[in-house]
Amino acid sequence: MKNKYPFYFIIVGLISLLLGLLCGLLAGFQYIIPDFMKDILPFNALRPLHTLFVVSWILLSSIGGIYYYLNTNPNLKIYNLKLIKVHFWLFVCAGIGIAISYVLHNFSGREYLEFPPYFYFPIVSGWILFGINYYKTMLPSFKSWPVYFWMWATGIGFMIYHFTEAHLWMLPYFRDNFVQNIAMQWKSGGSYVGSWNMLIYGTALFVMSKISNDDSYAQSKKAFFFYFLGLINLMFGWAHHIYIVPTAPWIRYLAYGISMTEWIILFSIIYDWKKSLSKEKKIEYSIAYKFMLLANFWIFLNIVLALLISIPSINLFTHGTHITVAHSMGTTIGINTLILLSSIAYILDLEKKITFISEKRIHIGTKIFSISFMLFWLTLLLLGIKKGYWMYFNQILSFSKFQDSLHWIYTVFVLFGMGIFVGLYIIVFELLKNLKLISKKHTII
């Protein structure tokens, strides 16, 4: 390994995770103390900052892991190592610029991708460089690819496509048609998430295959069925977000039918992997193994919740409430974050850099995180139920009085958020400490 940049992607990703948690916690304080930091960082700046850093964590750590796994494969030669460096700095500079824009209240007015549209160009350029490097490296052997290589290839290609699609609003043809504009915004956003899920779930299958030293999972019919199901989900599953937008009925029915099937197959694959893994392997890769099992637990909970809120009659009551946020948090933190932490722990195990003290502290942090996050998630569900009930059955009560009645729940909500921050801070600190030691032994290009 002669390149530090895969580690740099992961390190910046972990720092982004902490910043995302901090912004979320500060935004939570503004629920219970409305004037808290209002003149410095109001809620309308903290929310996009929170989204920016959490999405950066997911993307940067996924990309860093993929670069690392390709670069340590003796059968592969990275097409151009210098492109990794350019890719890294494009993303870092764009991220810093977007953060400054949010602090200065310079927004595009879009949902989630709220940054000024000119940041599209460095970001998509980074993805194109990633694609060139990946496809040029991997295409000679594509006939024998395990499923995780297909998932990474698909995720990169669709990230470029859907990130571009998300910015078609800059053209008058899309911007001037309200219904088309809204539908395109949610369609591209949902598919964008589906694209990075390809990167994350591919990483999960890679890590499971390497820990068990058995590529049969990644070559199995079930794994490829899961891949094609994920591809269909990426292309059509977004439609369950836009039941309220006038679109063709068949799109809604198809989205409802497939929206949760992907998770069911992933749950089954991880469950089978857990049963077949030897005790020695569970001990050897104990941290990576534990994170993957926790991710599977959250897959199960999110399957139950998502199946319910995908039913149109229930979706009518839950859309726009904290139940949607619970679904999003369960996916982002409960599934994606834990899979990526498992991947990072596996890399550290390969590098023989996790000390006994670090391992013990990570287990403590994981316990604090797990308990806090479960309580945090249940609180979001309670808030969502109360909001749905108020919207449709109790609007005699004014919005301000309704919000005042939730003050004690928001207080508990923030306390559980602090627990998540503390638990993940302990985990991330130990991972960063070990990653820093690893990066020092690698020469830079």
Side-chain angles (χ1 to χ4, degrees), residues 29-310:
F29 274 116
Q30 292 186 352
Y31 270 95
I32 56 177
I33 309 173
D35 291 331
F36 179 73
M37 294 185 67
K38 190 174 181 179
D39 295 332
I40 304 171
L41 278 177
F43 187 83
N44 68 337
L46 282 171
R47 183 179 183 271
L49 282 169
H50 171 69
T51 303
L52 166 69
F53 289 127
V54 172
V55 171
S56 296
W57 145 246
I58 289 171
L59 296 179
L60 292 172
S61 54
S62 298
I63 292 166
I66 292 169
Y67 275 137
Y68 175 86
Y69 296 134
L70 295 182
N71 215 12
T72 53
N73 189 324
N75 300 318
L76 296 173
K77 183 180 179 182
I78 296 290
Y79 169 69
N80 190 325
L81 291 172
K82 290 185 179 179
L83 291 184
I84 302 176
K85 179 179 179 179
V86 178
H87 180 189
F88 173 79
W89 286 111
L90 277 172
F91 272 20
V92 168
C93 291
I96 292 171
I98 291 170
I100 292 171
S101 296
Y102 289 163
V103 171
L104 297 177
H105 301 167
N106 184 10
F107 307 114
S108 68
R110 310 302 289 176
E111 182 78 14
Y112 299 121
L113 301 178
E114 300 171 73
F115 45 80
Y118 45 79
F119 284 110
Y120 160 79
F121 299 101
I123 295 172
V124 81
S125 297
W127 281 108
I128 290 170
L129 293 180
F130 188 24
I132 291 170
N133 237 345
Y134 185 85
Y135 298 130
K136 285 282 190 178
T137 300
M138 297 301 303
L139 276 178
S141 62
F142 85 96
K143 291 183 180 179
S144 59
W145 281 2
V147 72
Y148 43 77
F149 286 149
W150 284 104
M151 296 178 83
W152 291 340
T154 304
I156 294 167
F158 275 103
M159 283 295 291
I160 296 168
Y161 176 82
H162 290 298
F163 188 70
T164 299
E165 186 180 51
H167 287 82
L168 289 177
W169 65 270
M170 292 187 286
L171 303 176
Y173 176 80
F174 294 95
R175 185 173 61 246
D176 296 341
N177 186 316
F178 178 77
V179 173
Q180 185 172 264
N181 195 346
I182 291 293
M184 180 66 76
Q185 174 175 300
W186 280 99
K187 188 264 181 189
S188 58
S191 295
Y192 187 69
V193 172
S195 300
W196 81 46
N197 281 345
M198 280 285 186
L199 303 180
I200 295 167
Y201 298 162
T203 298
L205 288 169
F206 179 92
V207 171
M208 287 190 290
S209 296
K210 298 310 175 185
I211 287 178
S212 61
N213 199 25
D214 181 5
D215 241 13
S216 62
Y217 292 103
Q219 301 279 12
S220 67
K221 291 180 180 179
K222 181 186 281 189
F224 275 95
F225 177 71
F226 167 60
Y227 165 66
F228 284 110
L229 201 60
L231 181 59
I232 295 170
N233 217 313
L234 187 161
M235 297 170 73
F236 297 105
W238 51 269
H240 73 267
H241 290 291
I242 59 166
Y243 287 136
I244 59 173
V245 178
T247 52
W250 71 267
I251 294 178
R252 302 180 196 180
Y253 301 147
L254 183 61
Y256 174 61
I258 68 168
S259 58
M260 294 308 114
T261 48
E262 182 184 27
W263 281 346
I264 295 171
I265 302 300
L266 180 59
F267 176 84
S268 174
I269 289 172
I270 297 177
Y271 181 75
D272 290 344
W273 170 74
K274 172 195 169 186
K275 287 197 302 181
S276 66
L277 204 61
S278 68
K279 187 176 180 180
E280 291 75 16
K281 290 291 185 181
K282 292 177 183 178
I283 295 171
E284 183 180 359
Y285 300 101
S286 63
I287 297 176
Y289 173 75
K290 186 169 186 178
F291 282 140
M292 196 66 75
L293 288 192
L294 279 174
N296 210 33
F297 171 73
W298 280 100
I299 289 169
F300 172 74
L301 288 184
N302 251 31
I303 287 171
V304 175
L305 177 61
L307 282 171
L308 290 173
I309 67 174
S310 289

Side-chain angles (χ1 to χ4, degrees), residues 378-443:
L378 291 172
T379 305
L380 283 172
L381 294 182
L382 178 60
L383 285 167
I385 291 168
K386 284 185 168 291
K387 177 74 174 290
Y389 180 81
W390 173 79
M391 286 192 301
Y392 291 96
F393 303 108
N394 193 29
Q395 284 200 343
I396 296 173
L397 189 68
S398 68
F399 179 73
S400 61
K401 289 183 178 179
F402 168 70
Q403 284 292 97
D404 289 342
S405 72
L406 299 178
H407 188 268
W408 71 271
I409 304 179
Y410 284 129
T411 303
V412 173
F413 169 75
V414 171
L415 288 174
F416 295 148
M418 291 175 67
I420 295 171
F421 181 83
V422 171
L424 282 177
Y425 174 84
I426 294 170
I427 295 167
V428 170
F429 178 79
E430 294 302 321
L431 294 177
L432 283 172
K433 185 170 64 175
N434 288 286
L435 283 165
K436 185 178 178 181
L437 293 174
I438 295 171
S439 64
K440 285 183 177 179
K441 75 174 186 178
H442 294 285
T443 56

